[in-house]
Amino acid sequence: MEAELFEAMKNAVLDGDEQLAEELAQTAIQKDLDVTKVMNEGFLKGIQEAGDLYQAGDFYLPELVSAADAMKKALEILTPVLQNSSADILKSKGKVVLATVQGDVHDIGKMIVGAMLTAAGYEIYDLGADVPNETVIETVRKVTPDVLGLSALLTTTMQEQKNIIGMLEQENLRDGIKVIIGGAPVSARWSEMICADGYSDNAMDAVKLAERLLG
């Protein structure tokens, strides 16, 4: 029965069915299912498959956006439950600030990373997309996160990742924070060039990277 429910969750995301995704998330809570399992075996499989289909040319941008919107509806229901159920873990796992850099409106990859980090027990502060550099710095100062994740999906916005790291150094905020970067044009070489602490090209590896950096 659980397997059928997880399959329905995956398909709701793939079909971009926001209402069904929301209803299935509510059902999972009503049935007192393991929310981390619901995420990993249900909704996340859907958004990951949507991303794979898009990369393969079998999904177009409108379909990918619809899948992301359905995923967001499920997350609105599940994230508070994940955070509450992970309350004891959060203290030891740490705080993560996520942002897609200014000038870049792409949000899907960062959203998946945030969902998986939440499921892994981290406290997430997602600033959204096209976030001004000053807002990132202000949030770091206010939240004092353990990890700052910066996403850039355009070659024209990659430079903002470097600019933010420079601003952190100027404001004496760089020590004690691990900066990780991601996005389609980003590479391990770019990470080294801008003195980031790590790079990941997918959500699963982003979680492993955070775990490794925080020991």
Side-chain angles (χ1 to χ4, degrees):
M1 196 67 184
E2 268 191 21
E4 292 176 11
L5 192 58
F6 294 151
E7 184 71 13
M9 291 169 180
K10 183 188 84 171
N11 289 330
V13 173
L14 282 172
D15 294 339
D17 193 331
E18 296 179 39
Q19 183 177 343
L20 181 58
E22 192 172 6
E23 289 171 0
L24 290 169
Q26 291 281 16
T27 298
I29 292 170
Q30 289 163 5
K31 290 180 176 291
D32 199 27
L33 298 180
D34 182 332
V35 184
T36 302
K37 196 173 179 184
V38 167
M39 290 284 292
N40 289 336
E41 298 190 24
F43 295 110
L44 281 172
K45 281 194 174 178
I47 196 68
Q48 287 166 342
E49 188 170 325
D52 291 342
L53 288 168
Y54 178 69
Q55 293 232 335
D58 296 321
F59 253 26
Y60 295 104
L61 188 58
E63 294 166 299
L64 186 61
V65 171
S66 293
D69 287 341
M71 179 74 187
K72 285 178 182 176
K73 284 294 181 184
L75 281 175
E76 286 172 10
I77 305 297
L78 297 174
T79 297
V81 180
L82 276 167
Q83 289 172 335
N84 288 336
S85 64
S86 302
D88 292 333
I89 303 172
L90 286 175
K91 294 172 187 174
S92 59
K93 284 292 184 82
K95 296 181 285 188
V96 180
V97 169
L98 297 174
T100 301
V101 297
Q102 66 184 21
D104 200 323
V105 298
H106 297 85
D107 210 22
I108 295 167
K110 176 185 58 59
M111 182 189 72
I112 300 171
V113 170
M116 297 200 70
L117 284 168
T118 298
Y122 290 89
E123 187 177 358
I124 305 301
Y125 298 80
D126 190 338
L127 303 183
D130 191 13
V131 182
N133 293 353
E134 293 77 11
T135 301
V136 175
I137 300 302
E138 288 168 12
T139 305
V140 167
R141 185 180 286 110
K142 181 179 177 182
V143 173
T144 60
D146 301 284
V147 175
L148 171 62
L150 300 171
S151 176
L153 273 290
L154 304 170
T155 52
T156 52
T157 59
M158 286 169 58
Q159 181 66 31
E160 300 303 341
Q161 294 175 325
K162 180 180 179 180
N163 292 343
I164 290 170
I165 291 174
M167 291 171 72
L168 289 171
E169 290 170 352
Q170 288 171 9
E171 298 291 326
N172 295 317
L173 296 170
R174 184 67 177 92
D175 291 344
I177 183 173
K178 301 297 184 183
V179 179
I180 62 175
I181 62 171
V186 177
S187 65
R189 173 68 182 140
W190 176 245
S191 175
E192 290 175 12
M193 286 173 63
I194 66 174
C195 298
D197 294 291
Y199 147 82
S200 173
D201 63 358
N202 65 74
M204 287 293 291
D205 285 347
V207 175
K208 292 175 185 174
L209 177 60
E211 297 275 2
R212 189 166 68 251
L213 289 173
L214 297 181

